[in-house]
Amino acid sequence: MRSKARECAFKVIFASEFGGGESRRAVYRAEELDEEEKEYADRLVGIVGEHRKEFSEILDKYSIGFSEKRMFPADRSVLLTALAEIYYVEDVPAVVSIDEAVGLAKKYSTEKSAGFVNGILASVISGDGNEHNH
């Protein structure tokens, strides 16, 4: 259930990296999300929108020598989606968020990107000592 919603949130976030792109409704319709999935996707997109600056700082901190602005847009969008879950969705374990993010990176970016995404998110959850992490 959430995998499909998470993937749609990623697509909306990715489109927003380029100034809009497809509307949320168009993405949700194309993926045939049910109401619960739409709510979850909206929640992730909303968290990313609200906490974008914070997430950019986290990505800059953990992507040593590789600023967030230089990342592939697909990788950045996957990472933003995962950070939304890791920090602000209490009932999703961080390991699930990481696993899903790696899967999205493999599907929409490169094999190398999957390792990059995994490494950054693993560093975030192990190095942060943050109470939001599970």
Side-chain angles (χ1 to χ4, degrees):
M1 181 305 276
R2 285 191 168 168
S3 292
K4 201 160 124 180
R6 193 178 285 112
E7 185 170 353
C8 286
F10 155 77
K11 288 178 178 180
V12 171
I13 292 163
F14 180 76
S16 74
E17 293 286 304
F18 300 99
E22 288 187 85
S23 73
R24 271 187 221 194
R25 275 198 298 277
V27 171
Y28 297 171
R29 194 170 34 252
E31 297 294 330
E32 299 176 354
L33 294 189
D34 64 28
E35 282 308 308
E36 196 175 342
E37 290 167 329
K38 286 178 194 170
E39 284 176 23
Y40 191 70
D42 278 343
R43 182 175 175 199
L44 292 178
V45 171
I47 291 168
V48 169
E50 188 177 338
H51 298 280
R52 183 68 169 84
K53 186 175 186 298
E54 171 193 353
F55 293 159
S56 291
E57 290 168 3
I58 291 166
L59 292 177
D60 281 342
K61 178 180 176 183
Y62 288 100
S63 61
I64 297 160
F66 200 82
S67 82
E68 177 257 343
K69 287 174 179 41
R70 289 184 52 225
M71 290 178 191
F72 291 138
D75 296 353
R76 182 173 46 244
S77 300
V78 166
L79 288 163
L80 291 169
T81 306
L83 290 174
E85 278 190 329
I86 290 168
Y87 282 89
Y88 294 100
V89 179
E90 300 300 322
D91 63 334
V92 176
V95 293
V96 171
S97 297
I98 292 172
D99 189 53
E100 292 282 329
V102 168
L104 286 171
K106 284 180 182 173
K107 184 172 180 178
Y108 291 101
S109 200
T110 68
E111 190 63 40
K112 210 173 197 177
S113 292
F116 176 72
V117 165
N118 185 57
I120 288 186
L121 294 175
S123 295
V124 167
I125 65 164
S126 67
D128 209 10
N130 183 313
E131 73 280 358
H132 295 294
N133 297 317
H134 310 277

